[in-house]
Amino acid sequence: MKLSSESENIQEKLPRKLGLWGIWMLVVNGLIGAGIFGLPSGAAALAGEYSILIYVFCALLILPVILCFAELGSYFRGTGGPVRYGTLAFGSFIGFQGGWLYYLARLISFSANTVLLTDSIAYFLPVAGESAGRLLSIALTCLLLSLINVLGSVESIRSMTVFTLIKFTVLILLPLGGFILLGAEVIPSFDSSIPPFSDLGSAALLLIYAFVGFEGAVVPAGEAKRPERDMPLGLLLGLAVVAVLYMLIQLVTQAAVPNLADSKTPLLDASASLFGNAGAVILMIGVAASVIANLLGSMFSSTRLTYALSLEKSLPKWFGEVHPKFLTPANSVIFFGVSAFFAIRIWIIHRIGSDDCFIQTISLHHELCSDSEAPLPVYWRGPIYS
């Protein structure tokens, strides 16, 4: 059932301040978290110098999915993403199930990356990696990220911009330095034998997860200035930029680290090989910035899910209340931040048994990866209507 635009405006209470730049950043920060810092070695172990082609294959494989999200994103002006899509197509029960399951997945991912950020901080400040120091770092991270998201969507995007620029500066410097210092060595010769099909398939399965996470960008459509244009453009530009960056990083890492398949920290080894100890330090700064930007984007999108579920009357009205001054879903933000902290401290650490075991689990995860809507005028057609 489609409500009128008047009904939609009554329900939606968040200001439209999100432009193409903000949507693009949600896409790229959803795609680029911490996984790319460990993936090149796994790809090289399975596909060798042909791993660069697996990135192309995975980008093409995920493209139809992104086109579907781009088309759906161009239709909807309200907040919710999968909540809105599921509710309109199949009813409120499916909308709630899809939205809540996605919310739980984002909460678990956020918790894992928060611990990873704490370990990155411990690289520079060892006390942050100790038992009490780690707990304090996790609490401060959840608190500060929640505060930024409560203060306003503009503040969240500005903060994300800072860390995104740092991340991209580091990630672009690595292939740029590699091409300058190594020259033609960076270009693979493809004279080795093609790996078995099973290994190529395993490499594709590994790398496809580097192209997952973009879907969070469609959730805050209710805050987008021109969702009919910016959602498709943001998704497609994000995929294009990230795919090219992944391939350049893989090329330089293969050339800079001879035993890449055996490396546990491929980008760190490549950076140290090209730029010495200073390069390793700079890369760790990039890791921290990448995870922070990912966490900011994840919290920004995830908190809009409980807000949208509240508007659909699938969650209590409290989750849908908007701060009178900052015009953000403050209650949903606070709930997400507190839930993430307790998920780390009580559920994960106590159930697994120790902080160290949890860190090993997270490290393994990153090694294996790393009112209803009235449709807008149709400016975008994807494969749904093909």
Side-chain angles (χ1 to χ4, degrees):
M1 177 180 178
K2 301 174 185 177
L3 300 181
S4 65
S5 58
E6 180 182 357
S7 177
E8 176 185 322
N9 290 332
I10 291 174
Q11 288 196 14
E12 285 289 352
K13 296 169 278 187
L14 301 178
R16 294 189 177 275
K17 297 181 178 180
L18 198 61
L20 176 59
W21 172 250
I23 294 170
W24 180 83
M25 281 198 299
L26 288 173
V27 174
V28 297
N29 285 305
L31 292 170
I32 306 176
I36 187 56
F37 294 91
L39 280 178
S41 58
L46 291 167
E49 62 182 344
Y50 294 92
S51 56
I52 180 70
L53 302 178
I54 304 299
Y55 283 98
V56 178
F57 173 75
C58 289
L60 294 175
L61 196 64
I62 205 70
L63 179 59
V65 181
I66 287 186
L67 289 175
C68 290
F69 273 89
E71 182 176 355
L72 287 170
S74 71
Y75 291 159
F76 289 78
R77 294 188 62 86
T79 304
V83 175
R84 297 279 176 162
Y85 308 157
T87 299
L88 184 61
F90 304 108
S92 58
F93 177 75
I94 297 299
F96 172 79
Q97 292 293 324
W100 189 245
L101 287 174
Y102 181 68
Y103 182 84
L104 291 178
R106 292 297 89 200
L107 180 63
I108 294 170
S109 174
F110 182 93
S111 302
N113 281 325
T114 299
V115 176
L116 185 65
L117 175 63
T118 302
D119 279 1
S120 300
I121 295 172
Y123 180 87
F124 302 99
L125 190 64
V127 68
E130 299 173 0
S131 182
R134 180 179 295 164
L135 182 62
L136 179 61
S137 297
I138 291 169
L140 288 175
T141 299
C142 294
L143 176 63
L144 291 175
L145 293 175
S146 299
L147 179 61
I148 292 171
N149 274 276
V150 167
L151 290 177
S153 58
V154 173
E155 285 70 16
S156 299
I157 296 300
R158 286 175 179 171
S159 301
M160 203 186 310
T161 299
V162 172
F163 292 106
T164 302
L165 290 175
I166 296 172
K167 168 169 67 176
F168 269 84
T169 299
V170 173
L171 291 177
I172 290 173
L173 280 176
L174 180 63
L176 180 63
F179 276 95
I180 293 174
L181 296 175
L182 301 176
E185 296 179 31
V186 172
I187 307 301
S189 60
F190 297 113
D191 55 2
S192 61
S193 59
I194 300 177
F197 183 78
S198 59
D199 287 346
L200 294 177
S202 297
L205 183 62
L206 173 71
L207 295 183
I208 194 65
Y209 288 101
F211 293 93
V212 174
F214 63 85
E215 62 277 0
V218 301
V219 174
E223 296 170 81
K225 297 175 183 177
R226 296 182 61 185
E228 74 279 6
R229 183 202 69 168
D230 293 343
M231 286 295 173
L233 281 178
L235 287 165
L236 293 173
L237 289 174
L239 174 63
V241 170
V242 169
V244 171
L245 185 60
Y246 282 169
M247 289 187 286
L248 292 175
I249 290 173
Q250 184 71 30
L251 285 174
V252 170
T253 308
Q254 287 177 173
V257 185
N259 58 336
L260 179 60
D262 300 323
S263 175
K264 298 296 183 183
T265 54
L267 262 63
L268 191 64
D269 293 343
S271 187
S273 174
L274 293 170
F275 308 113
N277 292 333
V281 172
I282 292 173
L283 186 82
M284 286 305 301
I285 294 173
V287 172
S290 181
V291 176
I292 292 173
N294 179 272
L295 291 174
L296 281 167
S298 180
M299 179 175 278
F300 186 91
S301 296
S302 301
T303 53
R304 272 63 180 175
L305 286 169
T306 45
Y307 164 81
L309 286 170
S310 177
L311 295 186
E312 297 286 344
K313 296 181 172 54
S314 296
L315 284 180
K317 184 180 178 181
W318 182 85
F319 288 96
E321 292 180 0
V322 173
H323 195 282
K325 179 179 179 181
F326 303 123
L327 299 179
T328 55
N331 292 346
S332 287
V333 172
I334 294 170
F335 179 82
F336 187 88
V338 171
S339 298
F341 175 75
F342 281 102
I344 297 168
R345 184 56 195 168
I346 295 179
W347 185 73
I348 299 179
I349 293 179
H350 283 244
R351 291 284 290 271
I352 293 179
S354 71
D355 289 357
D356 292 337
C357 185
F358 174 60
I359 299 303
Q360 292 170 11
T361 303
I362 299 304
S363 299
L364 177 60
H365 165 75
H366 284 290
E367 285 182 23
L368 292 177
C369 296
S370 165
D371 353 335
S372 301
E373 299 304 329
L376 294 167
V378 179
Y379 295 96
W380 176 259
R381 289 280 182 181
I384 288 179
Y385 285 95
S386 299

